[in-house]
Amino acid sequence: MPALVLLGAQWGDEGKGKATDLLGGSVDYVVRYQGGNNAGHTVVVGDQKYALHLLPSGILSPGCTPVIGNGVVVDPSVLLSELSGLNERGVDTSKLLLSGNAHIITPYNVTVDKVTERFLGKRKIGTTGRGIGPTYADKINRVGIRVQDLYDESILTQKVEAALDVKNQVLTKLYNRRAIAVEQVVEELLGYADKLAPYVSDTVLVLNQALEEDKVVLFEGGQGTLLDIDHGTYPFVTSSNPTAGGACTGAGVGPTKISRVIGILKAYTTRVGAGPFPTELFDEDGEALRRIGGERGVTTGRDRRCGWFDAVIARYATRVNGLTDFFLTKLDVLTGWEQIPVCVAYEIDGKRVEELPYSQTDFHHAKPVYEMLPGWTEDISKAKTFGDLPKNAQAYVKALEEMSGAPISAIGVGPGRNETIEINSFI
């Protein structure tokens, strides 16, 4: 049963798009199983750069069927805009499948997201303001709007009324905002129905039948392990489960059908938004990582916070996801440092801690314990095999592999599709 999960092993932005694109020519389906347009992938094909937000990276691979699973929250205007943009660039998007059970991000979800963040002030979470959290909250509160509801005006109207009964009270009385008209929302959502109809499908049935026919299915997570609603640095997390278990619930396949779980690991560490970050740098090294690595969010446009590699969170990601492999990205960014610090443990209240503390308080107070590894100055972007790398770069990769708890099976040495060293095949 050739089903693979590919996910972020840090705080997201690890280069999942490159990894998915690399595998795209070898798989039959690529499935997004959670998140929304708060996630983003950059894929470089030749001299073309593609920024994807909702669409699975597999949409750039001819012969691959891209799928948006039931666990994703979908902003119809963003999805249609993204499809239109790719079509204009000659990309065939006709094979896309969209789960009828995926939840819709409504205009009022976006409004609630933005006004809540403003209201929180210094205590804000650092959301993207795109309505992701409020949409997942509606889903759990059982007042959410699903894709299939766009095709029954009566049900859609009832659901929007139910949601706005409460939200309008909050908007007008707490945030001093105007009430949102039910009719206006219903009219806007119905306007998307015909445009989305060619893509809407029973994706759970399609994917399970594909696996029964020995098709290769790749499940692609958005964000990263440390942003998982259950297993991340709560409350500075996303509103869904990017970890491996989320692939089962977000796509409707059983765990026994997953054969491999691949963690994408950047050769250093970044995160976007608020929250603890033990190895974060506020000096010239941090600025250099940001500049050389092009560390700006694909979706948010915000500069990413940068720091040295953190082996503690890598080990944690291995554990909670059951990782079988790592794909190490952006090794080339570290070229030029004489020595490269790697966080091997934390110091918390004077004690050395080698595993991620479960206590939020402890994690906030964690100070990195560094081990210095020798750097390299040689250009590695043309390396095709592990042996082509400078000895110190090889030693760095081997050290990260040993510290992280799973084999590194591929290494990114540049942004291009072909700038990857494959050590072990994923398929």
Side-chain angles (χ1 to χ4, degrees), residues 316-376:
Y316 178 75
T318 301
R319 183 181 307 116
V320 298
N321 292 297
L323 296 180
T324 59
D325 304 82
F326 278 116
F327 187 136
L328 185 70
T329 63
K330 290 196 170 184
L331 183 64
D332 54 301
V333 174
L334 296 179
T335 299
W337 268 272
E338 185 176 340
Q339 288 190 309
I340 305 172
V342 172
C343 174
V344 296
Y346 300 143
E347 181 185 304
I348 303 174
D349 295 331
K351 296 181 180 179
R352 181 184 172 104
V353 176
E354 298 193 356
E355 301 297 344
L356 194 78
Y358 77 91
S359 163
Q360 176 182 321
T361 301
D362 285 348
F363 194 50
H364 270 282
H365 292 97
K367 297 178 181 178
V369 176
Y370 287 117
E371 180 178 309
M372 305 301 291
L373 299 179
W376 60 93

Side-chain angles (χ1 to χ4, degrees), residues 108 111-112 115 164 166-180:
Y108 53 78
T111 299
V112 168
V115 298
L164 286 179
V166 175
K167 285 179 176 57
N168 276 334
Q169 294 291 321
V170 174
L171 288 171
T172 57
K173 296 180 180 178
L174 179 59
Y175 297 126
N176 197 29
R177 300 282 298 231
R178 290 182 184 176
I180 297 173

Side-chain angles (χ1 to χ4, degrees), residues 54-391:
L54 266 172
L55 293 170
S57 302
I59 201 160
L60 299 175
S61 300
C64 178
T65 300
V67 180
I68 297 176
N70 57 274
V72 179
V73 291
V74 178
D75 185 322
S77 65
V78 172
L79 177 58
L80 292 169
S81 175
E82 198 167 330
L83 288 168
S84 175
L86 289 178
N87 289 334
E88 289 174 3
R89 298 176 67 178
V91 177
D92 179 15
T93 62
S94 62
K95 297 181 73 173
L96 174 70
L97 300 180
L98 170 63
S99 172
N101 286 338
H103 279 248
I104 294 286
I105 299 173
T106 67
Y108 53 78
N109 292 135
V110 177
T111 299
V112 168
D113 197 358
K114 291 179 177 178
V115 298
T116 302
E117 278 286 276
R118 283 199 291 270
F119 181 80
L120 288 172
K122 293 181 179 179
R123 294 176 289 112
K124 66 182 180 181
I125 302 300
T127 76
T128 59
R130 287 167 168 77
I132 310 298
T135 304
Y136 276 114
D138 280 1
K139 177 179 178 177
I140 299 303
N141 286 326
R142 291 162 291 186
V143 293
I145 310 298
R146 297 194 291 180
V147 169
Q148 61 174 279
D149 297 330
L150 302 183
Y151 304 97
D152 189 321
E153 185 174 352
S154 175
I155 287 178
L156 177 63
T157 303
Q158 291 176 45
K159 289 191 170 186
V160 172
E161 286 176 344
L164 286 179
D165 276 348
V166 175
K167 285 179 176 57
N168 276 334
Q169 294 291 321
V170 174
L171 288 171
T172 57
K173 296 180 180 178
L174 179 59
Y175 297 126
N176 197 29
R177 300 282 298 231
R178 290 182 184 176
I180 297 173
V182 171
E183 298 78 11
Q184 182 179 343
V185 173
V186 171
E187 182 181 359
E188 179 176 337
L189 294 180
L190 287 174
Y192 297 122
D194 289 343
K195 297 174 183 177
L196 293 177
Y199 309 109
V200 180
S201 174
D202 182 353
T203 57
V204 172
L205 178 62
V206 169
L207 292 173
N208 278 283
Q209 287 179 336
L211 289 170
E212 289 167 5
E213 295 168 3
D214 291 328
K215 302 289 187 183
V216 181
V217 180
L218 177 64
F219 299 94
E220 172 188 85
Q223 293 95 20
T225 298
L226 274 294
L227 291 177
D228 188 278
I229 186 69
D230 288 299
H231 304 292
T233 50
Y234 190 89
F236 304 100
V237 293
T238 193
S239 302
S240 57
N241 292 107
T243 45
C248 298
T249 55
V253 298
T256 56
K257 296 187 176 181
I258 294 171
S259 54
R260 210 155 182 181
V261 183
I262 305 162
I264 313 304
L265 197 62
K266 197 176 286 186
Y268 48 101
T269 311
T270 64
R271 79 170 297 176
V272 173
F277 183 0
T279 66
E280 184 173 11
L281 297 169
F282 301 95
D283 57 9
E284 293 179 359
D285 285 332
E287 184 53 42
L289 288 174
R290 186 177 298 110
R291 174 175 48 80
I292 299 169
E295 296 298 350
R296 180 176 289 267
V298 177
T299 296
T300 65
R302 293 182 289 186
D303 283 342
R304 296 176 185 140
R305 300 157 63 191
C306 296
W308 299 120
F309 184 84
D310 188 331
V312 180
I313 66 172
R315 285 194 293 274
Y316 178 75
T318 301
R319 183 181 307 116
V320 298
N321 292 297
L323 296 180
T324 59
D325 304 82
F326 278 116
F327 187 136
L328 185 70
T329 63
K330 290 196 170 184
L331 183 64
D332 54 301
V333 174
L334 296 179
T335 299
W337 268 272
E338 185 176 340
Q339 288 190 309
I340 305 172
V342 172
C343 174
V344 296
Y346 300 143
E347 181 185 304
I348 303 174
D349 295 331
K351 296 181 180 179
R352 181 184 172 104
V353 176
E354 298 193 356
E355 301 297 344
L356 194 78
Y358 77 91
S359 163
Q360 176 182 321
T361 301
D362 285 348
F363 194 50
H364 270 282
H365 292 97
K367 297 178 181 178
V369 176
Y370 287 117
E371 180 178 309
M372 305 301 291
L373 299 179
W376 60 93
T377 57
E378 300 93 330
D379 177 14
I380 65 171
S381 62
K382 301 297 188 295
K384 299 300 180 186
T385 68
F386 187 70
D388 292 339
L389 293 174
K391 295 298 182 184

